[in-house]
Amino acid sequence: MAREQGSQAGAKEDTIFLGYDSGGLDIDVSQNMTDLTASGNGGYETTSARGAIVTARTLEARWTATAGEVNAGLIVHGKQDQTDYTYILSTDGSGVICGKANGNPVWTSVAVVAAKEYFVSWAMRDNPDTTGASDAMISEYVVYNITDTTLVAMGQELHATPTTDVTWDLSIAGWWTGGGGFVFQPTNAPVYARVSTTHHPNVEVWEDWIAARTAYAGTAADGIVEPVGPRPIASGLADSGEWAGRQAWGYAAATTKATAPRSWSLLVNEALTDATAVKAEPARWRMLAPGDADYTLSIQWLRWVPVPAEATHAWVRAHTSSSGVIARSLRVYAFNRPPGLVKIGAVQSPALIAFSAQVDWTGVAGTVEEWHELGYVRLPKFTEAIPGWTGTVHICLAYAGSGFTVNAWSARPARRFVPGGIVP
Amino acid sequence: MTDTPYKQTFLGLDFEAPSSLALAHPSALLRPPVTRQARAQDTALAGRRIIVQRQMGGSADWLTDSSATGGGSQGHPDSETWRIIARARVDQQAGTILEARALCVPAGATEYDNTAGGTWDPDGVGGQTRVSLTWTNAAAQTANEVVTFTSGPAGGDGAEDTETGSAWAQLEHHYAAVVRPQAAPNSLSEADKWSEWPTVDAVVADLGGVRVVHFVLSEFPADHVVDDADVTSTANGAGTGVWPVKIPQIEQADGATYEEHRFGTHRALSTAARQTARIGPRIANWTSYTEADTGVADTEAVPVNVAGGVTARLSSGTNTVWDATAAGWDLLGTARAPEHLTSRVSGAGSIPVRVRVYLKRGATVGTVGVFRVQTSTRSFVEVGCDPIGTSYAWFTATGWLEAPVATDDGYPVLQDFLTATNGDIDVRAWDVTYGDFPAALP
């Protein structure tokens, strides 16, 4: 389970209702701690203003369906006379999981439910490309078969902003109709149901309820090499003035830290439509790597790119197709200028600075497609005062061995620090 | 206060970030930090995002090869017809201008049709590459600019030297700084039109025998001009200079009265929120162009055609469903959790993106397409293309894509798919950029 507030699993800062069948679906374990009125396997709240959400929101539930189960209401916010509703997350009259608003289906899954356990989510957000009322919102949905660990449906739909009324009722595992009782109850109680006031991307939905990705463990690459010099206090923070308080301090620190490398973009990001096997390029394009005749640079992979301020390295990865049991190696070079370039215009070229990183592999008898992590390569930024060159690097791949094709590669800018001696 | 309708802020490439020592407890965040704190985030603008880049597509020879001219059929490009190589549509980051770089080897020969003699005869050695730009802002105003590089000949007949490594010694570096709408630097009112996230259409084209190894059009922080009444801009709209020191202001601009309201709690927080929504990397752009697949008489890159009823990769690979081992594109590896809510997810990351695709249909009326970019088994964005005409057009959609959680995280791979229904579709370009905010152009 991803991060929550406090110790309650699934309760986040945007959660307005969270109930677990294990403790009673009517018991709200979110930070609201406003329980529903128990009914059937779930509960309801009359005149539910907190459920009247027509902006960004996410509805999530997990339950075991019976085969072809119809009208199983998981999360509902609507009128007691059932003539209107803000949303219904349920199976429809045909037994297909769907999301509806104000009498109309917004999205529908692809198949009638089986006697399986399902997870369902419905996240809604504003549509930045809206052309009018009819497409003001985007809804994204996920229907996952937990029993068989298969994805049933995942997609998005454009639709109008739903209408609501704060006097309508919020119901979990049914629909409260007042004198008509608690209808649309699923046969089996949902394991949990959650209502949130923000849009949750699919990644977050999966991380929370379906399957977290394998934990990122970092790489063995270390050897922090680039010192970051002391940074002067340039902002005037801590000068006397009109702002004060820890809130302001916290905001400043958080936003500055989060914003700093935001717009760093990939230095290289290519998937080559016409990838050619190594050694097939003309000899005039090749050059032996400086200081290492085992590797051959090829001009087809030479890239001249600007480097973001404060970037010190690039993390390089490449995709190859290789065939045959042959020792192979792919190396990435970062130069301050191309090797072999004696002059830049009328100016003598500065001394060549070159850094590299590489990956080695052998391959098998058949053709294998695979990604390789070449790792960090230090970036020797060109610093001479030649217009257009300052702050750029030349990046190029070099190969050793044969029988493979480079299909795609990328170089991510990075900043690496020297331990100790850092002035924060 | 005197009406001052425009504020111009000059940005620096190496703006220093504030020292966190100053933020150490229990020091308070005090004046004049609102300006400097907000602009400290301008470090982000030194990201120098690459708007569009093109290379050879992996081909093993040039379109303009070293063969002799003078044959009975056209074997080299002519000297007058531009051929479009790449297209991109991007929302340009606030406060930036563009710069262009081209890395070439000497150009090759061109031909003209000597109809009287029945041959294609030599028409000079040389070529050019250019990028044509059109900016469109939120008010639907447009501006243009063209940057052209001229490449020198390889020799008398345009043939490349055959000596091993000779291309390296003959590299040409071309550079153009300050690529922006022409009128922008001359008046603040004009610069104001283009300082806040205009959408820029970039069209890269070649002429003659040019041989381009790599071309890059990238952003560069320059200056930011904003109407005094506009409080909904990024940090650079916060202005510089003397700030009122006595009273923290929390209200927005007062209609047509140009009083200074661009400071205080409200302003700072709205700036932070807006930057969070907008400032991010340029992720990927693709063109169907390759040197080998393009003919000497082609005026634009040969599109990738997807037949009706088929789902196909566009750039590289043959998989029809996402495959972690198949070729694809990268996203930037930064530790991003869902935006605005950095505390909600750990161990995984996703970012809001805008996806655009440039395509047209074939002869079948009613052809529809779905363009998908997918980065993992659980994360994709689809662009519904319907209706599609017989002229190329951009289609767009926004969504969230799973992204790496660190620089060395190799988990997500961006793969591109197009599904055509009813008829075939030709695709020439697609684009993925950070942010799901409203764009000036779809």
Side-chain angles (χ1 to χ4, degrees):
Chain A
M1 175 59 68
R3 293 179 188 162
E4 307 85 30
Q5 285 197 318
S7 61
Q8 175 56 57
K12 297 186 173 182
E13 58 266 37
D14 65 329
T15 307
I16 58 140
F17 175 81
L18 173 62
Y20 287 92
D21 183 52
S22 58
L25 272 172
D26 60 306
I27 305 300
D28 180 10
V29 295
S30 75
Q31 62 180 335
N32 278 272
M33 295 193 299
T34 304
D35 297 341
L36 308 178
T37 302
S39 183
N41 289 322
Y44 61 89
E45 175 180 81
T46 57
T47 314
S48 178
R50 62 169 161 164
I53 311 167
V54 293
T55 54
R57 69 169 190 237
T58 303
L59 312 174
E60 297 154 306
R62 170 173 167 170
W63 106 112
T64 300
T66 59
E69 184 173 358
V70 301
N71 297 327
L74 303 174
I75 304 175
V76 178
H77 185 263
K79 297 180 72 172
Q80 290 185 5
D81 64 6
Q82 299 182 284
T83 58
D84 204 354
Y85 44 88
T86 315
Y87 46 79
I88 296 178
L89 184 64
S90 68
T91 57
D92 61 15
S94 302
V96 181
I97 298 171
C98 63
K100 296 182 179 179
N102 304 121
N104 299 310
V106 173
W107 61 269
T108 306
S109 183
V110 297
V112 173
V113 293
K116 307 283 185 181
E117 187 170 26
Y118 293 90
F119 166 80
V120 186
S121 77
W122 178 9
M124 189 174 77
R125 59 186 173 91
D126 292 339
N127 177 13
D129 298 330
T130 180
T131 60
S134 64
D135 62 358
M137 309 300 289
I138 301 175
S139 279
E140 297 169 353
Y141 58 91
V142 175
V143 178
Y144 188 84
N145 180 332
I146 292 177
T147 305
D148 300 331
T149 63
T150 56
L151 178 65
V152 177
M154 188 163 70
Q156 63 181 45
E157 294 291 340
L158 303 179
H159 58 94
T161 303
T163 58
T164 189
D165 192 310
V166 296
T167 64
W168 297 353
D169 304 337
L170 175 66
S171 303
I172 304 296
W175 190 338
W176 178 244
T177 61
F182 201 51
V183 300
F184 279 19
Q185 294 188 54
T187 302
N188 300 306
V191 176
Y192 54 73
R194 183 168 76 179
V195 180
S196 308
T197 57
T198 63
H199 161 263
H200 291 199
N202 284 351
V203 170
E204 182 176 3
V205 168
W206 280 67
E207 287 286 306
D208 281 355
W209 303 113
I210 300 176
R213 61 165 283 189
T214 302
Y216 163 69
T219 65
D222 53 19
I224 300 168
V225 294
E226 184 68 31
V228 175
R231 314 202 67 76
I233 301 174
S235 69
L237 297 168
D239 290 346
S240 61
E242 62 190 39
W243 268 43
R246 296 184 188 183
Q247 286 178 322
W249 159 65
Y251 146 72
T255 55
T256 297
K257 180 182 179 186
T259 306
R262 289 184 76 92
S263 69
W264 284 11
S265 294
L266 292 143
L267 305 179
V268 177
N269 192 11
E270 303 169 353
L272 302 172
T273 302
D274 190 29
T276 308
V278 299
K279 295 190 174 179
E281 73 277 12
R284 59 186 180 272
W285 291 3
R286 302 182 199 147
M287 170 181 282
L288 296 180
D292 191 342
D294 289 338
Y295 286 83
T296 301
L297 295 159
S298 179
I299 210 166
Q300 61 179 311
W301 295 316
L302 180 62
R303 305 290 178 257
W304 182 33
V305 293
V307 177
E310 301 182 355
T312 62
H313 289 69
W315 178 270
V316 178
R317 56 201 313 258
H319 184 273
T320 64
S321 300
S322 53
S323 179
V325 182
I326 303 172
R328 303 178 174 94
S329 182
L330 192 63
R331 185 179 282 180
V332 60
Y333 277 90
F335 303 111
N336 61 331
R337 61 159 176 86
L341 200 68
V342 176
K343 282 195 171 184
I344 300 172
V347 178
Q348 196 73 17
S349 297
L352 180 70
I353 304 173
F355 299 108
S356 66
Q358 75 183 57
V359 62
D360 305 322
W361 76 104
T362 301
V364 297
T367 300
V368 174
E369 291 198 2
E370 57 191 324
W371 282 95
H372 306 279
E373 309 290 337
L374 283 73
Y376 287 113
V377 61
R378 187 171 170 181
L379 299 176
K381 297 180 198 178
F382 192 96
T383 55
E384 312 293 315
I386 295 178
W389 283 71
T390 307
T392 67
V393 296
H394 287 74
I395 299 176
C396 191
L397 296 177
Y399 61 87
S402 63
F404 70 97
T405 303
V406 177
N407 304 310
W409 65 297
S410 69
R412 302 170 174 174
R415 182 169 53 193
R416 309 192 72 204
F417 301 93
V418 67
I422 296 175
V423 177
Chain B
M1 182 175 294
T2 305
D3 285 351
T4 51
Y6 298 105
K7 293 289 193 292
Q8 185 172 30
T9 306
F10 293 99
L11 309 176
L13 181 62
D14 295 319
F15 192 96
E16 296 294 331
S19 164
S20 61
L21 270 180
L23 301 176
H25 176 78
S27 66
L29 176 58
L30 303 171
R31 186 195 59 82
V34 170
T35 301
R36 294 187 182 183
Q37 167 53 36
R39 291 197 59 232
Q41 299 171 69
D42 294 351
T43 304
L45 300 181
R48 304 177 81 179
R49 304 189 318 166
I50 292 175
I51 297 295
V52 62
Q53 58 178 320
R54 54 76 64 101
Q55 20 76 20
M56 300 173 63
S59 303
D61 203 353
W62 299 108
L63 166 69
T64 308
D65 58 21
S66 297
S67 62
T69 57
S73 59
Q74 185 176 7
H76 289 253
D78 67 38
S79 61
E80 299 175 351
T81 306
W82 288 92
R83 51 187 182 275
I84 295 174
I85 306 301
R87 294 177 183 269
R89 173 170 285 185
V90 181
D91 307 300
Q92 185 174 334
Q93 194 161 256
T96 62
I97 58 174
L98 303 177
E99 53 181 11
R101 292 181 174 81
L103 191 61
C104 305
V105 294
T110 62
E111 293 178 332
Y112 75 97
D113 187 4
N114 183 356
T115 53
T119 56
W120 283 82
D121 290 345
D123 192 22
V125 177
Q128 293 180 319
T129 189
R130 75 180 183 191
V131 59
S132 304
L133 299 157
T134 301
W135 288 267
T136 305
N137 63 13
Q141 299 164 316
T142 62
N144 300 287
E145 179 66 300
V146 180
V147 176
T148 304
F149 299 126
T150 300
S151 178
D157 59 2
E160 290 186 276
D161 290 343
T162 57
E163 182 180 350
T164 299
S166 58
W168 287 82
Q170 295 177 322
L171 283 170
E172 303 171 355
H173 289 73
H174 302 273
Y175 170 65
V178 193
V179 180
R180 66 193 303 178
Q182 280 206 333
N186 298 326
S187 74
L188 295 179
S189 61
E190 188 65 25
D192 167 61
K193 296 178 182 177
W194 314 110
S195 287
E196 272 287 309
W197 300 95
T199 299
V200 57
D201 279 315
V203 179
V204 180
D206 288 351
L207 179 70
V210 70
R211 296 168 174 146
V212 181
V213 175
H214 188 224
F215 173 88
V216 167
L217 182 71
S218 57
E219 293 173 343
F220 187 94
D223 65 352
H224 184 278
V225 179
V226 65
D227 188 299
D228 191 16
D230 183 6
V231 294
T232 57
S233 68
T234 50
N236 305 299
T240 56
V242 177
W243 285 47
V245 300
K246 297 296 184 182
I247 305 172
Q249 297 284 328
I250 59 172
E251 62 195 68
Q252 298 186 17
D254 184 14
T257 303
Y258 296 118
E259 293 186 357
E260 183 57 76
H261 288 274
R262 296 176 301 160
F263 49 92
T265 310
H266 179 279
R267 172 62 180 196
L269 293 177
S270 68
T271 296
R274 186 172 165 85
Q275 288 185 328
T276 299
R278 288 178 173 267
I279 294 182
R282 177 94 165 97
I283 294 167
N285 77 287
W286 167 79
T287 170
S288 61
Y289 178 83
T290 72
E291 292 282 314
D293 294 337
T294 307
V296 293
D298 288 344
T299 57
E300 188 153 0
V302 176
V304 170
N305 180 270
V306 178
V310 170
T311 296
R313 290 289 304 273
L314 297 177
S315 58
S316 178
T318 57
N319 52 311
T320 57
V321 295
W322 187 84
D323 183 347
T325 63
W329 303 71
D330 202 357
L331 293 85
L332 193 69
T334 55
R336 293 180 184 274
E339 300 302 319
H340 307 280
L341 297 160
T342 56
S343 64
R344 283 220 315 243
V345 176
S346 64
S350 64
I351 55 174
V353 297
R354 175 173 291 281
V355 179
R356 294 179 167 110
V357 62
Y358 186 72
L359 52 77
K360 74 171 181 66
R361 65 170 171 83
T364 306
V365 176
T367 296
V368 298
V370 176
F371 174 64
R372 172 189 286 203
V373 288
Q374 185 162 352
T375 59
S376 70
T377 56
R378 57 192 186 176
S379 183
F380 61 78
V381 176
E382 290 187 335
V383 181
C385 307
D386 181 26
I388 307 177
T390 52
S391 298
Y392 281 93
W394 288 100
F395 294 82
T396 187
T398 59
W400 289 67
L401 284 178
E402 180 148 20
V405 297
T407 305
D408 55 357
D409 176 14
Y411 173 56
V413 175
L414 192 155
Q415 295 172 0
D416 51 340
F417 305 89
L418 183 79
T419 301
T421 306
N422 297 331
D424 64 302
I425 296 175
D426 290 329
V427 190
R428 280 197 161 125
W430 57 255
D431 244 32
V432 180
T433 306
Y434 177 91
D436 64 349
F437 51 87
L441 271 184

